[in-house]
Amino acid sequence: ALSSRVWVFFFILKAKKIKCAIRTTFISALSLHIDNYQWSTWFNVDHPGGRGDYEQLDAIRFYYRTRVCETPKAIEARTTEWIPARETGETVHADPTVGFWCLNEEQGPQLNCSNYAVRFLCPKGLGTWGPWSDWSPCPALCGQVGVQIRYRNCQSDSLPCSGPKLDGKACNGPECPKTACSLQCVMGQANSDCECMCEEHTMLGSVRSAGGLAAEGAAILRSGKFLTLTDHNGHFRIPNICPDGNTTLTVRLKGHAPLDVVVPKSKVIFYFCFLEKLHVLSNPESKVRRAGQSAAFCCKVAGTPQPDAYQWFHNNTLMEKESESTLVIRDLHPEQSGEYYCRASGPTGAIKTKTATLRILDEHSCNPKPESHLIRLPHDCFQNSTNSFYYDVGKCPPSRCAEQLDNGIRCKDKVAYCCGVAKMEERQLTCQGYQLPTMVVTECGCQKCVDTKAIVHGRAIAADNGEPMRFGHIFMNGVRISRTGYKGTFSIQVPEDTERLVLTFMDNMQKFVNTTKVLPFNTKGGAVYHEIKLLRKKAPVTISSTETNTLELGEVESQEPMVQIQIPPYSFYKENGEVFTGNVSASVTFLDPRDISTAAAAQSDLNFIGDEGDTMPLRTYGMFSVDFRGEENNEPLNAGEVKVSLDSAQVQMSEHLNTMKLWSLNPETGLWEEEGSLQVEKKKRGKREERTFLIGNMEIRERRLFNLDVPENRRCYVKVRAFRSERFMPSEQVEGVVISLINMEPKAGYSTNPRAWGRFDSVVTGPSGACLPAFCDEQKADAYTAYVMANLGGEELEAVPSAPKFNPNLIGVPQPYLGKLNYMRSDHEDPRVKKTAFSINVAKPSPNTAEEGNGPVYPFENLKECEEAPFSAAHFRFSRVEGDRYDYNTVPFNEDDPMSWTEDYLSWWPKPMEYRACYIKVKINSPHEINVRSRNMGGTHPKTVGQLYGLRDTRSIRDMDQTSVSAVCLEFKCSGMLYDQERVDRTLVKVIPQGSCKRDHVNSMLQEYLVNHLPLAVNNDTNEFTMLAPLDPLGHNYGIYTVTDQDPRTAKEIALGRCFDGTSDGTSRVMKTNEGIALTFTCGDREVTRQNVFQTMQRSQGQTVGTSIVRGESRQNRRRQRANAPRSSRRRSTRNPEGKRTKARN
């Protein structure tokens, strides 16, 4: 008879052979509610002959189907002589979910196992089933028998329900024409369906899911005909199947890939793999062609199983006859231009690729007339002709063009052609006391595109305190491709043809949650900086696998927890499917959307693929990452039948209650995939309080990141541009800036909580800025709000102020639409707050209001209009905090756009994709901060000697501890090969401090290097310093800092960091004025009569003030140098102030 307490025994095999190792687990009436349970009858289905005695639950259920409950809570074993197993002294094993077993080889010498019988502890009562769902459609084809399935759910929490959760019935497909059967059977005889049947043979089998659990409701089919469904233990029994090795069965299970198995023997176990949603590996590429040429578009889509159908669309119209993954169009006509995309579909759903544009041009595929491009001139170079400090040097649009193609039809063109510079002319600009040369584009033409590489770099740091993730692994498509450095830094070259860069950051030290990010990058090439914010892992708690465990998530102060996770007893299992019993170390980290500081740590980009294949956005109500491990050996554990409950009080938008779903993240695609829906259920918390929850079930397996989300279809785009200064002009725009938008819940007065965020998106600016996706509402302007930020290489850009003066012209959006959007910079109410963000109401433009139809908010369907909006269209603005620095290149080059590089001997960067940045560190002894200029000219190359490469002006930075000392890291043009890669040029660099300055000291190691590497520039003027720049990357001991990278901005950033720090491998944002110095000047107060550095910068391009170049001791060479100077001077003399004589350069 049962008392109020029950002793349940679990037997565990030890490594050593001992008489008996028994572990007892006490379960009280409080935990099991013993009045609700009873013992089953005794079972004995095996004897100890052979290897031992196996009283396994699967076998018992096979013979006694209805006499054992679905989920036994305990097991008891005794011998046939009524001796309890714990008293036999034998080594035995027991698990209520598996059964009992005793192995002869584990007993002592000459000993075998006893003959055991077992019984199970099962619930007395039974729960109540909910209603059956509708039957699924019949999938049967011609002559086939399919299976229709329906589902039902148990509505009781404490008691199990009796009977199956799934039900199936056969359905017939249409009749097929009868054919004679010529099948010859190796075993058995052919039946009327022309299949071999063995009447005396019965096949027993078991089906396991991908996680190793029993697969209930799996359909077994033969030649498309339904045979049977597996029971709640995953077992099935099929009579008349021949074990001849020629019979193929198909097994189908919801959420898993179909499995085809050849039957070799009577009993088999099938193991599934999960379905893999379709995802795009490569999108069709945009093409530019002339009429009459051919074009091919290709889409590559993967999944398990693979897609079985393809469709192509032209301008959103289905192309009826195209059903392959490759679309070939021959003999092109103008009406075939437009947008093309592919839609792939299969058993797991559908997906659409991005659109590709086909442009069909006439003979002039590239307009020879350059576009306008203004560059800023030095402040003493005002141009009377334009009445400004800007000069139009022209540029060629970086658009694709059509040239002669080979006859091959390829997905990706073998050679890409772009509009580029065909001709340039040298112009002389008249400044105050000097002539400034500049190269002007006069003609564009179609030529091979400049080869570029896209790079992402940045830091991976903790979201709470900025601690770096040191030496973490970075994975792409399941393969480790890189790792972070000591300071969390990383740099990754984006592989060619990558459309969507999905990276997973994994921490070896287990401090941070594994984080999957979709990083935007510049497809035209160049580097984009990203700061990866990581959530710190929640400290693990110890729970028992044999008890019900409830974990509450959400720790916002004065707020109720948002989510509960309930794990029933015996739900944990190992990766091989074996049930785990013991203590579990459980760490569950929750990203709470009520805390806005967590937004940047959101995983992926909150997108999923809809039923029609479109990429759709999600709005989150919380993400959680789980990590379950065995406490003793730290092995990872899975968990089945986990219940997730979301407090409906946290879902203030009532329409979201019916659409809330549970999602898991695919770390390879970065897309969220549906795990299941949530149903409304009422629960009591405490004695009186009744709460409503959204409840769903899930299984925790190899995916460990989950999300509570709703699809949201109220979408818009917000137009933002970034500028390198507060001069908001087209030529001042900066590419490669990461613009981020945090979607907030509606404000108070609407139907939800103003503190929570719902979505986080980032976009990289291009030549026309960026269009950021955002939730919006047309009926109520303040229904959705958003915070917008901008970051360039780790530097936060400033938004346009909204107070004390509100200037729509500066903000970039006219009234009255701006007032409706309620633009406010982050320091609007508190000037102590940083100025690096702004907030707006995301009010969807009204189609009936003309002033709202020109940006900055665009309807979701008008993305192309947003991306191609002219500069005059409304947009929001960010700008860099303009430092005391000025760059001038004789051959204009936009460092944000590597494709703007031009082949010319005077190009500052001689070789694209290999950018070498050089800096020299100069110390200034002066009570003032001094502007220092580097003037860079050709030194030894016959094509450039005496000609200007460019100017760099930088103001020194005062030492924080010594008020009379400052230092400057001054860029100069590195020596090396020019663009033709035929001959080296030692750049002639002149360092000129502004004001009354005297050179006090030159680094002795630098001086020795220059003396030993002739030719030597002789310095006769102590107010400046001149050198022929070293070819070698010297380092901090010389005061020279050199870095080579595939991106110019990155190379300069690294070199500057080392220069500030005064080391060859460190970095600093604080100027260390006594470390790694090359030159020292002492400067007094500026003389009134002295011209500033901009006026004295250059008397001619060939003349060097107070400087000559000594080539050894050769007097003849010195005479040749003096003879060349006047000729160069005459060519670039100030005697031609209007610049009528110009030199054409092709």
Side-chain angles (χ1 to χ4, degrees), residues 529-540:
Y529 180 91
H530 291 281
E531 205 156 74
I532 309 300
K533 299 292 183 68
L534 307 170
L535 278 183
R536 196 176 295 278
K537 254 188 182 178
K538 193 76 173 175

Side-chain angles (χ1 to χ4, degrees), residues 905-948:
Y905 283 104
L906 292 178
S907 294
W908 183 275
W909 308 96
K911 186 178 180 183
M913 300 313 303
E914 188 177 300
Y915 298 96
R916 193 178 183 206
C918 294
Y919 285 82
I920 184 170
K921 191 167 185 178
V922 182
K923 180 178 179 180
I924 305 292
N925 295 313
S926 173
H928 308 291
E929 292 180 337
I930 301 298
N931 189 78
V932 184
R933 165 167 291 178
S934 74
R935 188 174 121 206
N936 304 268
M937 303 175 66
T940 59
H941 196 291
K943 295 282 188 179
T944 62
V945 63
Q947 300 184 58
L948 184 71

Side-chain angles (χ1 to χ4, degrees), residues 391 425-429 436-440 442 1142-1143:
Y391 190 77
E425 289 183 359
E426 185 181 279
R427 305 274 174 83
Q428 296 286 340
L429 305 181
L436 182 68
T438 188
M439 303 300 294
V440 177
T442 58
T1142 59
K1143 177 186 174 185

